[in-house]
Amino acid sequence: MASCHFRKPHIDNMTNTIGFIGSGMMASSLADGIVAKGLRVPNQIHCSDIYAPAREAASDKGYNATESNEDVCKHSVDAIFLAVKPNCIMGACKDISDLTPLEKKGTLIISIAAGITLAALEKALPERRIVRVMPNTPCLVGEAACGFSLGSLATDDDRTLVKTLLDAVGISMEVPETLLDAVTGLSGSGPAYVFQFIEALSDGGVRAGLPRNVATMLAAQTVKGAAEMVLTTGKHPGELKDAVTSPGGTTIAGVEALEKGGFRAATIGAVRAATKRSMQLGGTSEEDIKNKYGL
């Protein structure tokens, strides 16, 4: 009789490896999520960093940590994440170009460097398959909202791999590269806006008499719960707002105060300003920003 139990797939530690050039918070969070979801085992993660404490932290988790980008290039089969600061990205690309063995030229390159375009990456790494990703800091707690765009040589299999890896730390959505600046302005920079909102809610609670620790906890949980309702119900945020806004009640009084203070316009303006700044950092001309994108 055939067994009704499914055998776990064999994981070969020498193949399906993933590399990280740069082992900072974002890179380590991605690696941790990938391992936590069972997509790879620790020994399949290879990472480099010039900062000794970052290497030590990676080694403590069972990752293969080194100071050498060459080692990462040699041992990474499936993908290499470029997780260094934008001003260091071209140096990392040169290392990949110079150091990757011929048999590893098929390794997918995934850049999480803000503002570095696919065109720039493809110029630095000709004939390589590249994907550009915009993650955000909630990646650190497994609740990232990521946007990604495929390079000209990337394949459907690359799309599947990137989405699988990013979904290990939250959600991911593919967008045209022309919209990655908007992703940066919304979800990339958005956590800062939300932190400010939580702080302001907490301040309001303190002003109304609540102890600071109680106010902050209630504010943070309120934002978390409201976000979960949007994601779980699929309802428009305006519909959910209306459901808790009784005629003549407390909530509509608070909503009125937010509108008088320009809350909605200020939030839209923040996304717009951050999107424009992302374009500027990426080298988009002021003329195109104004005439092509309306910013």
Side-chain angles (χ1 to χ4, degrees), residues 10 95 100 182 216 231:
H10 173 68
D95 285 345
T100 305
T216 299
L231 295 172

Side-chain angles (χ1 to χ4, degrees), residues 241-256:
K241 178 205 70 178
D242 288 347
V244 295
T245 307
S246 303
T250 60
T251 304
I252 191 62
V255 169
E256 180 186 25

Side-chain angles (χ1 to χ4, degrees), residues 226 229-231 233-244 264:
M229 286 184 70
V230 173
L231 295 172
T233 66
K235 293 182 178 179
H236 190 283
E239 182 181 356
L240 293 170
K241 178 205 70 178
D242 288 347
V244 295
R264 187 185 301 268

Side-chain angles (χ1 to χ4, degrees), residues 113-164:
I116 307 299
T117 65
L118 285 169
L121 292 166
E122 290 180 339
K123 183 178 180 181
L125 294 167
E127 300 182 16
R128 299 298 296 266
R129 296 170 4 262
I130 300 172
V131 176
R132 182 181 166 196
V133 174
M134 183 65 231
N136 67 359
T137 53
C139 171
L140 304 179
V141 292
E143 295 291 349
C146 306
F148 70 93
S149 300
L150 302 186
S152 60
L153 299 179
T155 66
D156 287 341
D157 286 344
D158 295 332
R159 173 186 289 111
T160 299
L161 174 62
V162 169
K163 184 161 181 59
T164 299

Side-chain angles (χ1 to χ4, degrees), residues 114-115 132 134 179-193 196 265-282 284 289 295:
R132 182 181 166 196
M134 183 65 231
L179 293 180
L180 272 185
D181 291 309
V183 171
T184 301
L186 175 57
S187 57
S189 301
Y193 318 151
Q196 277 193 296
T267 304
I268 294 171
V271 176
R272 183 176 180 273
T275 299
K276 180 177 180 179
R277 184 57 181 152
S278 178
M279 289 179 174
Q280 292 170 334
L281 292 173
T284 305
I289 291 173
L295 299 174

Side-chain angles (χ1 to χ4, degrees), residues 276 279-280 284-291 293-295:
K276 180 177 180 179
M279 289 179 174
Q280 292 170 334
T284 305
S285 69
E286 291 296 329
E287 183 178 359
D288 278 350
I289 291 173
K290 181 178 179 180
N291 297 328
Y293 298 102
L295 299 174

